[in-house]
Amino acid sequence: MTSKCVISLDLPEDIVAPLSDQFDLLTWSGREAMPEVTLQEWLADAEGLLCALSTPITASVIAGAEQLKVISTISVGVDHIDLAAATAAGIPVGHTPDVLVDSTADLAVGLMIAATRRIAEADRWIRTGQWSQGWQSDLLLGTDLSQATVGIVGLGPIGEATVKRLRGFGATILGWNRTPKSLEGVEMVDLEDLFRRCDIVSLHTALTPDTLQIASRKRLASMRAGATLINTGRGALVDEAALIEELSTGRLRAGLDVFETEPLPADHPLLSLDNAVLLPHVGSATFSTRMAMVTRALDNLRAGMSGQPLPFCANPEVCGFNG
Ligand code: DGY
């Protein structure tokens, strides 16, 4: 009998087709997130799950999936999966590290420039018919990256790639990492110092219980007037309510690719704030990066389905002992 595999998101036909030769596939084809109850039903007798950030894989989903041999997510982050529950159940979780480093670092720097040079705001300004006079000396003034002190919170691969790009801009760079690290051209400081001293703070840590709201109300309040917060990691790294207060008074600016709630609700207060550049979680959204992520996720899925160690495993404790 062919093993059953659930795909909890809509993927292009040519990506899914090769899998259908090997597995009995059940694919969620809605653009909206798959409801948990449907996921639970589908997983009742499935051996594989291919998923992404849009599907929370909770402890109760895992508990009901008694045949499950592998969870493979098309993402590097695994905070949407109850990793402890998967590990306790002996289920390896595959993810996609490395391949989205450059795309995400590009976007972080893009957001820095967009926020500090007011690119999105200027675009809106033209489109709403406000450009009625020619060049003006004080129109939409911003600040220079070359003169900025930029703080990188989390010097993993994406943080490091962001540093590499910032060196080219001539920025002064401060860094903080959970474990000691030294990087050429980066002054390592503690978190309080970093938030206090920087013109731009960019978040690059994974979301874990330790990093939840690492950009806390107190740290946001300690940032310089006119400073900018960049987040391409996870929404919950920031105390969003506190950030909204700081943006509403005009004290801070922000460039955000991720939010506490995604998609952002239509009446969300951030949507009315001109000093925030907002993107719909597209840090890894380039053709080649998405293809590389899918390839990695399919390799993990196939390995797990056949009881082999996953090439890219987020819970190594169980990755070699599957099946
Ligand atoms: C990830 O892979 O974790 C990103 O957030 C999605 O691009």
Side-chain angles (χ1 to χ4, degrees):
M1 208 176 75
T2 325
S3 307
K4 183 169 150 190
C5 179
V6 171
I7 304 180
S8 71
L9 71 161
D10 192 23
L11 286 173
E13 189 45 44
D14 54 332
I15 302 244
V16 177
L19 284 179
S20 59
D21 296 341
Q22 291 171 275
F23 310 120
D24 183 7
L25 298 182
L26 257 183
T27 304
W28 177 254
S29 55
R31 294 300 283 185
E32 75 284 10
M34 185 175 186
E36 180 161 318
V37 49
T38 314
L39 182 63
Q40 278 171 325
E41 276 168 29
W42 287 17
L43 282 178
D45 58 349
E47 291 181 21
L49 170 62
L50 182 64
C51 62
L53 305 176
S54 48
T55 323
I57 311 299
T58 61
S60 74
V61 166
I62 291 167
E66 289 179 4
Q67 314 292 318
L68 203 58
K69 290 165 97 179
V70 58
I71 299 170
S72 174
T73 178
I74 308 171
S75 63
V76 62
V78 290
D79 48 283
H80 56 299
I81 299 171
D82 192 322
L83 203 59
T87 306
I91 301 170
V93 174
H95 68 147
T96 66
D98 309 330
V99 288
L100 43 73
V101 167
D102 286 325
S103 305
T104 310
D106 284 352
L107 199 86
V109 175
L111 274 174
M112 288 177 200
I113 298 175
T116 58
R117 296 299 303 275
R118 305 168 65 178
I119 291 176
E121 185 187 345
D123 182 88
R124 280 192 297 275
W125 190 81
I126 292 192
R127 289 173 199 274
T128 49
Q130 296 183 67
W131 199 13
S132 55
Q133 292 169 332
W135 188 88
Q136 293 162 55
S137 61
D138 58 353
L139 182 60
L140 290 159
L141 299 183
T143 54
D144 289 293
L145 208 43
S146 59
Q147 290 168 26
T149 299
V150 184
I152 305 294
V153 178
L155 286 164
I158 299 175
E160 262 198 54
T162 306
V163 165
K164 194 162 120 196
R165 284 154 176 75
L166 289 171
R167 283 198 204 109
F169 282 91
T172 301
I173 309 169
L174 306 189
W176 173 86
N177 198 49
R178 196 170 45 85
T179 53
K181 186 150 190 172
S182 75
L183 262 187
E184 194 198 321
V186 180
E187 181 190 349
M188 297 302 288
V189 294
D190 67 31
L191 270 177
E192 315 315 320
D193 232 19
L194 186 143
F195 276 83
R196 215 173 27 238
R197 286 173 54 193
C198 288
D199 303 298
I200 300 173
V201 173
S202 191
L203 306 177
H204 298 280
T205 55
L207 176 63
T208 67
D210 291 342
T211 60
L212 185 71
Q213 298 202 346
I214 197 165
S216 62
R217 176 175 289 275
K218 190 160 158 240
R219 289 186 179 130
L220 292 171
S222 76
M223 287 174 76
R224 294 176 171 176
T228 301
L229 182 83
I230 303 295
N231 191 5
T232 52
R234 286 291 181 270
L237 293 172
V238 181
D239 181 335
E240 205 170 78
L243 178 64
I244 289 166
E245 286 172 33
E246 295 285 2
L247 293 170
S248 303
T249 65
R251 217 184 64 81
L252 297 184
R253 312 185 68 81
L256 308 171
D257 185 40
V258 287
F259 306 90
E260 266 174 10
T261 304
E262 296 180 7
L264 210 52
D267 59 351
H268 198 281
L270 279 171
L271 293 169
S272 61
L273 293 168
D274 238 2
N275 50 354
V277 180
L278 311 177
L279 300 178
H281 203 146
V282 288
S284 64
T286 70
F287 290 104
S288 67
T289 293
R290 285 287 162 84
M291 190 46 84
M293 290 167 74
V294 167
T295 303
R296 229 153 238 210
L298 295 186
D299 289 348
N300 283 330
L301 182 77
R302 286 196 184 94
M305 292 293 272
S306 57
Q308 300 301 311
L310 311 196
F312 301 96
C313 186
N315 54 350
E317 308 91 300
V318 292
C319 270
F321 305 102
N322 172 37

